[in-house]
Each structure stands twice: as C-alpha cells, then as structure tokens.
C-alpha cells in the first residue's frame, strides 16, 4: 500500500524531489512518521479577520496570533482511524512569544484518501471536511489547493459557503541550498482578499510508527466525507 499522497498524485508523485517523496510518503506501509521543527512568520488580514480567526482557534482550526520567526512543530503520523481508513496527522504547534504564559497554539488536521483525492478534516472534532487538489511544481515541490468545504456537527451537515470562508494555497518544497523544507501558505476570500498566511522553514526527522499518539488524534472521528 502506497501513501495517500502517492495514490492521489499517481505518476506525478515521482516528480517530487526525493526529500519531498520521503516526507509525503509517510504511511502505514512504510511504518514511518515525520516530525519537523523550524520557524515561521505568521500573518493575518485586516482587523475584521480577528473574530473569524479567534472562532477558528476554539477547535484548533485557525491561528489568530501573528509573529516573526515563531518556533513551530509539525507532526505527521500515520494511523488507522475508527472507520478503518488510513489517516495521516498534520498537527502544527506554534510557540507564539505573546503566549509564553499560556499553552501553545495548535492547528489540527487529519488527512484521508477518498474517491482518489486527499480529504482534509480540520479541527479537534473534524468539523470541516475540505477537498484538496494536489500538483507538483517545477522545483519538485508540492502545491496544495483547497476546494469545497463541508461542515459537520451532530446531525447538522451543510456545504460551507465560500463567502464566509477562504481558499488555501500551500507551496512546500525542499531546498538543496540550505538543506531544509520550505512552506508558504495563504488563505484568501474571493471578495475580501487575504485572511491568513504563514511562511517558514523546517527540518525533519523520521521515526518508526504505525500509530499516532492519542494527543494528536481528533476527539471525534467524522464518518461523513
């Protein structure tokens, strides 16, 4: 069984830089996790985006803070969820200086393969399910773009109106020059413009793993896709 990213990209996966192939090859078949540490510059849009970001913080969906060279940790562990789906955690933890006396900020995501594409569940309770489109750029990096979003809470389920949300575009690549991974993300609303973004560098270590620590798994596993 190949990783969920290799299955979603197909032959395009081989165009990734070898270090990117290893990073996004994390899965149960290779029994390996990827843990990265580095620094990020975190930005947000105008003042009126703050309530939107603060609301997302409640379930680890968005990061309301800003900062330069913010230390962060990203943990990618493969595991089998309660529904028998191979899942990979994408949990980012930020040590924002202004929160020195409070707990770090987290952005939780878990990814599965559904109907041939990667599906991203966001938050501690997998409230948001986001379709992802993947592509490989000319430097062997991965380009990830978010598409349709669906909200789930108990019996409530609806397609999230994009007027009140944003589309994310993420670029991640490996640099032979500094021997590090680079990441650049922007979330934009088609009417209101830039909402949130970050840019940073990190290095990784690979650990043997066929399960994820409980602290990284969502509180609730969402059945609906």
């Amino acid at each position: 069984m190949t990783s969920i990213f290799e299955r979603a990209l197909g032959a395009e996966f081989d165009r990734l830089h070898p270090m990117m192939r290893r990073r996004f090859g994390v899965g149960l078949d290779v029994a390996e996790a990827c843990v990265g540490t580095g620094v990020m510059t975190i930005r947000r849009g105008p003042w009126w985006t703050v309530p939107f970001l603060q609301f997302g913080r409640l379930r680890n969906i968005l990061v309301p803070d800003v900062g330069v060279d913010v230390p962060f940790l990203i943990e990618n562990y493969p595991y089998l969820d309660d529904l028998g789906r191979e899942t990979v955690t994408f949990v980012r933890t930020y040590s924002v200086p202004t929160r020195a006396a409070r707990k770090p900020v987290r952005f939780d995501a878990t990814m599965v393969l559904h109907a041939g594409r990667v599906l991203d569940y966001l938050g501690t309770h997998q409230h948001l399910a986001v379709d992802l489109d993947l592509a490989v750029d000319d430097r062997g990096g991965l380009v990830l773009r978010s598409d349709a979003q669906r909200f789930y809470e108990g019996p409530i389920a609806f397609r999230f109106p994009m007027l009140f949300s944003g589309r994310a575009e993420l670029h991640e690549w490996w640099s032979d020059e500094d021997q590090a991974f680079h990441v650049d993300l922007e979330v934009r609303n088609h009417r209101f413009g830039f909402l949130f973004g970050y840019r940073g560098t990190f290095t990784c270590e690979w650990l043997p793993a066929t399960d994820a620590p409980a602290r990284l798994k969502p509180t609730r596993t969402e059945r609906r896709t």
Side-chain angles (χ1 to χ4, degrees), residues 134-168:
L134 308 179
V136 179
D137 64 24
D138 291 339
R139 59 191 165 193
L142 183 68
V143 181
L144 181 155
R145 296 181 178 91
S146 66
D147 197 357
Q149 303 177 12
R150 294 166 296 282
F151 179 86
Y152 301 122
E153 173 57 42
I156 301 171
F158 59 88
R159 189 182 179 102
F160 204 86
M162 296 310 296
L163 176 63
F164 303 108
S165 186
R167 294 189 184 275

Side-chain angles (χ1 to χ4, degrees), residues 114 117-122 126-132 147-153 156-162 222 224-225:
H114 174 70
R117 72 191 305 186
V118 173
L119 176 65
D120 191 7
Y121 286 108
L122 300 180
Q126 296 192 339
H127 281 309
L128 276 178
V130 182
D131 295 330
L132 300 182
D147 197 357
Q149 303 177 12
R150 294 166 296 282
F151 179 86
Y152 301 122
E153 173 57 42
I156 301 171
F158 59 88
R159 189 182 179 102
F160 204 86
M162 296 310 296
E222 178 57 59
R224 291 161 293 187
T225 57

